[in-house]
Amino acid sequence: MAIEETIEADEAMTEGDRLTRKPTIKESIENTEKFKVRIENVNGWYGGKRAIKDINLNVREKTVTAFIGPSGCGKTTLLRCLNRMHEMTPGAHADGRVVVDGIDIYDKSIDPVVIRRRIGMVFQKPNPFPTMSIFDNVAAGLRLNGMRNKTIVKEIVEESLKNAALWEEVKNELEKPGMSLSGGQQQRLCIARALAMQPEVLLMDEPTSSLDPIGSSKIEQLVRTLKDSVTIIIVTHNMQQAARVSDFTAFMYLGDLIEYGSTNQIFMNPEKELTERYISGKFG
């Protein structure tokens, strides 16, 4: 197919379709910097209260970006704006643009369900479906989206559990309840459940805050491995964790993005005095 035909076919597709397929040659040329997510003047509101203020930053493809800052600074609100979960809170809304692969996910033509399928979320506390087995927990999203081929479902479940570094621990007990696993295993099960949907971006909201050091270490190791195939954005209160797992770090304070750069630069040579004070433990 000629480049012109590829572009014409692309223009005929819906916005939702475009989010779920690979970029065209034209888009690849336009996105040579490999920014997977562009956050442009994003505000997050709870009723009349603005929780995050005109946030602008670009997230590079297949990297780990950490959002750090004291409690209440807007980290989780920003994270939830990136897959349109924020608007699910009663009275909450967002404005601005979040552009994923050239598509504004807040465009009126975009189905939020498509967004949440392509931009996965792992929450602060493990939340396996309590009545489901380990296997069914991972397969739940696939079945909900109409996947009925048992062979394909089985293959995706196994691959997802392997990618979440859980397969060897559970491969002989897939019919056991997901809730029977340890806390760290439950969190990796939730990561496997998210990975089964083959997301392009994985959002993680303090994924180790309820885990012991061993469980936390396994999740951190998993994050470093997963970035080879998916773009990861993680919220963490643990600055040592941010330094260990992330390539880029954004420091937020009172709803503002104070500083954003490579993790080495943020931790070793911050440009803003406020960043230096937070990193050195003088407040927060």
Side-chain angles (χ1 to χ4, degrees):
M1 182 181 290
I3 293 176
E4 292 80 2
E5 293 174 336
T6 303
I7 294 170
E8 288 174 1
D10 176 58
E11 289 173 346
M13 299 177 78
T14 66
E15 294 292 336
D17 289 334
R18 290 179 62 200
L19 189 66
T20 62
R21 56 94 179 119
K22 302 245 182 232
T24 64
I25 295 173
K26 177 183 177 182
E27 289 169 347
S28 297
I29 293 171
E30 291 173 347
N31 293 299
T32 53
E33 291 187 88
K34 295 293 183 183
F35 289 127
K36 185 69 174 180
V37 182
R38 296 177 184 267
I39 303 169
E40 302 175 358
N41 299 313
V42 168
N43 296 276
W45 302 82
Y46 294 95
K49 180 181 178 182
R50 186 165 63 155
I52 56 173
K53 310 166 188 174
D54 295 318
I55 305 297
N56 289 275
L57 63 89
N58 295 325
V59 178
R60 286 174 171 80
E61 187 175 25
K62 294 182 181 178
T63 59
V64 180
T65 298
F67 294 167
I68 65 171
S71 297
C73 70
K75 304 184 298 295
T76 293
T77 298
L78 177 57
L79 195 75
R80 290 171 63 88
C81 286
L82 301 185
N83 72 343
R84 296 189 59 172
M85 286 198 69
H86 176 65
E87 65 198 54
M88 297 176 68
T89 302
H93 70 281
D95 56 53
R97 283 163 45 93
V98 176
V99 180
V100 179
D101 286 337
I103 308 302
D104 180 8
I105 70 171
Y106 280 93
D107 187 278
K108 291 180 180 179
S109 66
I110 294 291
D111 182 353
V113 175
V114 173
I115 300 303
R116 296 175 196 129
R117 190 183 305 150
R118 304 309 302 149
I119 304 177
M121 186 87 164
V122 177
F123 297 93
Q124 186 172 1
K125 293 183 179 180
N127 60 342
F129 299 130
T131 62
M132 291 187 183
S133 67
I134 293 168
F135 183 96
D136 289 340
N137 259 278
V138 181
L142 298 171
R143 290 168 174 163
L144 185 64
N145 284 281
M147 174 64 71
R148 295 291 179 262
N149 188 308
K150 293 182 179 180
T151 300
I152 294 177
V153 170
K154 183 178 179 181
E155 290 174 353
I156 293 176
V157 168
E158 179 176 339
E159 180 183 9
S160 300
L161 287 167
K162 287 179 177 177
N163 289 338
L166 189 57
W167 174 251
E168 291 300 324
E169 297 170 42
V170 303
K171 63 182 179 182
N172 295 319
E173 46 191 39
L174 295 176
E175 297 309 312
K176 285 188 175 181
M179 295 296 291
S180 68
L181 299 174
S182 69
Q185 289 175 322
Q186 287 184 26
Q187 191 66 297
R188 281 182 281 148
L189 178 63
C190 294
I191 292 172
R193 187 174 67 197
L195 293 176
M197 299 304 295
Q198 299 180 321
E200 300 169 24
V201 180
L202 186 61
L203 310 177
M204 309 182 84
D205 187 8
E206 297 189 59
T208 65
S209 64
S210 62
L211 305 182
D212 61 26
I214 294 176
S216 297
S217 177
K218 288 184 177 181
I219 297 294
E220 290 182 11
Q221 183 178 359
L222 178 57
V223 168
R224 289 191 289 268
T225 300
L226 287 175
K227 77 172 184 177
D228 290 337
S229 57
V230 65
T231 303
I232 298 174
I233 303 174
I234 182 171
V235 165
T236 179
H237 278 293
N238 186 326
M239 287 185 287
Q240 289 76 25
Q241 181 177 82
R244 286 192 296 265
V245 305
S246 69
D247 303 293
F248 298 90
T249 296
F251 168 54
M252 298 181 66
Y253 183 66
L254 297 180
D256 291 307
L257 176 61
I258 304 302
E259 188 168 354
Y260 176 55
S262 73
T263 295
N264 285 339
Q265 179 263 310
I266 293 294
F267 280 88
M268 302 300 294
N269 188 32
E271 295 179 356
K272 305 291 185 179
E273 180 183 354
L274 194 61
T275 308
E276 191 279 329
R277 291 179 58 211
Y278 181 75
I279 295 296
S280 61
K282 293 178 182 176
F283 77 97

